[in-house]
Amino acid sequence: MIKVLLLFLLLIAGIVLGPMLAGHQGYVLIQTDTYNIETSVTGLVIILILTMVVLFAIEWILRRVFRTGARTRGWFVGRKSSRARKQTKAALLKLAEGDYQQVEKLMLKNADHAEQPVVNYLLAAEAAQQRGDEIRANQHLERAAELADNDQLPVEITRVRLQLTRNENHAARHGVDKLLEISPRHPEVLRLAEMAYVRTGAWGSLLDILPAMDKVQIGDEAHRLALQQQAWIGLMDQAMAEQGNDGLKAWWKNQNRKTRHETVLQVAMAEHLIECDDHDAAQEIILDGLKRQYDERLILLMPRLKSGNPEQLEKALRQQIKTQGDRPLLNSTLGQLLMKHGEWQQASDAFREALKQRPDAFDYAWLADCLDRLHNPEEAALMRRDGLLLTLQNNPNS
């Protein structure tokens, strides 16, 4: 606008001053090595004005040309962005349908012009992995890493997820260890860490992330409790495998009181000790657990014990019968223990008490054995018949 105003003022000045200077035009000489240019002052002024007009015209033309080019480029870029949005939406629909080949294809079209190119490449990588094409999945993942710059968290999460899909469990564990350093309470990182630690038997690490899983509510309380118990039992397995029975008992002794009083862990520890042929230590844990609370899982382990002091077990069972009442499991277990050291009459009485409360094929068979020892073959045969009929009744297809 200023340039146009300046040109307009020059034209007015020429119109006004031209007639005034008509008789006093002066003389201008421009001399070079080979040329001499002679003109009047008025002519020079007119030449300068025309030169400025030409320059303004050239500038206007160039500006229009470049502006048109920018608009053209903007139109093409906008068109690609629009197509990328449509293709991304279509890819998400195909993802819901499970058509992973189309998901990958649509996500990659104009991916660099999408609103979130990293997301497009990550979804394309997962789609390629679902098709079993690990090479293309890795290519898409690396492209996403290039575009992500400093925000590598979604890329690394996807990388670990793909590794778990391929059962590259130790690589995934290494990946989640690094992710937990960056984002220790990220829900998806914790889910992936749970999978990686369970698959690799990293039970100590699994126990470490349980508080964070509780805070961000990964799974329900029952799920987290099951994970905790699985981790403790896994640590028992490792201690027994590495150092045998002595290492297992040393590991148990090093746990805090709250852990040692968990019934599930007491049952697991007793089972491990029985497997190590340390029946006295297993009996000690079972009796200690029953002093605190009644649990049938502890009772069920008693017949497996080969302890040198079975009287303690019988005493504990009789005490449980007094406090808990005549439960069939308690009477049946007492009968099995009495059979071991030949108390046939007391054992038969215990089995009869158990059978009064509920019929059981095993109790019928054990009672029949006791009756044989007591020289009562007729009733023994009757008990075996009742046991057989109950078995056939419970298993009609056998």
Side-chain angles (χ1 to χ4, degrees):
M1 186 68 184
I2 295 175
K3 294 178 180 179
V4 174
L5 180 62
L6 180 61
L7 181 60
F8 182 71
L9 291 175
L10 288 173
L11 288 173
I12 293 176
I15 294 171
V16 173
L17 296 176
M20 295 174 60
L21 298 174
H24 309 281
Q25 294 185 19
Y27 176 76
V28 175
L29 173 63
I30 300 174
Q31 188 174 23
T32 66
D33 291 340
T34 56
Y35 294 101
N36 289 332
I37 301 174
E38 298 179 5
T39 182
S40 64
V41 174
T42 303
L44 180 62
V45 170
I46 294 172
I47 291 171
L48 291 175
I49 292 173
L50 292 175
T51 302
M52 290 182 64
V53 170
V54 172
L55 290 174
F56 287 155
I58 293 173
E59 181 189 18
W60 180 82
I61 292 170
L62 291 175
R63 188 183 300 159
R64 289 297 300 269
V65 169
F66 286 115
R67 187 178 299 172
T68 301
R71 288 177 180 175
T72 303
R73 287 193 300 273
W75 181 83
F76 279 112
V77 171
R79 186 168 178 269
K80 289 181 179 179
S81 298
S82 177
R83 290 179 63 185
R85 283 194 297 270
K86 292 179 180 179
Q87 288 159 349
T88 301
K89 290 179 181 179
L92 293 175
L93 291 175
K94 292 297 181 181
L95 180 62
E97 297 174 8
D99 188 350
Y100 297 109
Q101 185 172 2
Q102 285 298 314
V103 171
E104 182 185 4
K105 180 179 179 181
L106 291 169
M107 280 294 177
L108 293 178
K109 283 187 175 180
N110 297 304
D112 291 336
H113 300 282
E115 294 179 2
Q116 295 289 339
V118 175
V119 175
N120 281 54
Y121 281 108
L122 292 179
L123 287 175
E126 297 214 30
Q129 182 60 48
Q130 289 292 336
R131 295 191 301 100
D133 193 339
E134 295 183 6
I135 295 177
R136 286 183 63 83
N138 289 335
Q139 291 174 347
H140 303 330
L141 197 61
E142 293 308 317
R143 178 56 179 159
E146 293 174 4
L147 296 173
D149 294 329
N150 295 327
D151 187 15
Q152 293 291 322
L153 183 62
V155 178
E156 294 307 315
I157 287 175
T158 304
R159 191 187 306 278
V160 170
R161 189 183 297 115
L162 296 184
Q163 288 169 339
L164 288 170
T165 301
R166 302 168 188 166
N167 291 320
E168 298 173 359
N169 299 319
H170 289 282
R173 177 184 170 182
H174 177 68
V176 295
D177 285 341
K178 294 196 296 183
L179 285 172
L180 286 170
E181 294 177 2
I182 301 171
S183 187
R185 293 186 182 178
H186 192 289
E188 184 62 14
V189 172
L190 290 170
R191 291 189 191 94
L192 296 172
E194 175 194 335
M195 293 176 62
Y197 291 154
V198 168
R199 292 187 185 184
T200 58
W203 307 118
S205 299
L206 181 60
L207 288 173
D208 291 339
I209 66 170
L210 285 176
M213 292 178 66
D214 182 46
K215 288 183 179 180
V216 298
Q217 295 297 298
I218 301 297
D220 55 18
E221 186 176 354
H223 174 71
R224 293 190 294 272
L225 180 59
L227 281 178
Q228 184 183 49
Q229 293 171 356
Q230 183 181 6
W232 284 120
I233 294 172
L235 290 173
M236 287 183 198
D237 292 336
Q238 289 178 354
M240 186 174 71
E242 293 171 2
Q243 299 177 320
N245 183 49
D246 292 337
L248 180 62
K249 289 194 289 187
W251 176 86
W252 181 254
K253 186 178 179 180
N254 290 331
Q255 304 311 308
N256 58 49
R257 182 176 299 177
K258 181 180 178 182
T259 300
R260 293 199 305 270
H261 289 172
E262 289 283 343
T263 304
V264 173
L265 301 184
Q266 289 174 336
V267 172
M269 187 63 185
E271 289 178 333
H272 281 71
L273 289 169
I274 291 172
E275 187 177 347
C276 291
D277 201 29
D278 192 344
H279 295 270
D280 291 335
Q283 177 172 313
E284 183 181 348
I285 289 176
I286 291 171
L287 294 177
D288 183 64
L290 287 173
K291 287 179 183 178
R292 289 176 172 78
Q293 69 177 53
Y294 173 78
D295 194 289
E296 291 189 349
R297 291 169 293 183
L298 292 170
I299 301 296
L300 288 169
L301 290 174
M302 287 185 173
R304 296 173 56 188
L305 293 172
K306 300 175 183 177
S307 171
N309 191 4
E311 291 79 9
Q312 284 188 346
L313 294 176
E314 295 169 17
K315 182 180 178 180
L317 282 171
R318 296 185 191 279
Q319 182 63 35
Q320 290 293 330
I321 291 172
K322 288 181 181 179
T323 56
Q324 302 295 329
D326 283 335
R327 299 195 179 199
L329 177 61
L330 291 173
N331 285 302
S332 176
T333 305
L334 179 60
Q336 294 174 59
L337 295 180
L338 290 168
M339 284 179 67
K340 286 186 177 181
H341 52 275
E343 299 289 342
W344 305 111
Q345 185 59 54
Q346 294 184 50
S348 66
D349 293 339
F351 287 127
R352 290 182 192 277
E353 286 297 323
L355 288 169
K356 284 180 184 179
Q357 299 168 61
R358 55 99 178 90
D360 182 83
F362 290 104
D363 286 345
Y364 278 122
W366 286 319
L367 177 56
D369 291 340
C370 292
L371 292 171
D372 281 334
R373 295 284 186 166
L374 294 170
H375 308 291
N376 191 349
E378 294 82 5
E379 190 179 4
L382 182 62
M383 293 299 102
R384 287 192 175 92
R385 187 199 67 179
D386 291 344
L388 178 60
L389 291 174
L390 181 62
T391 301
L392 294 174
Q393 181 182 352
N394 292 335
N395 301 279
N397 296 324
S398 61

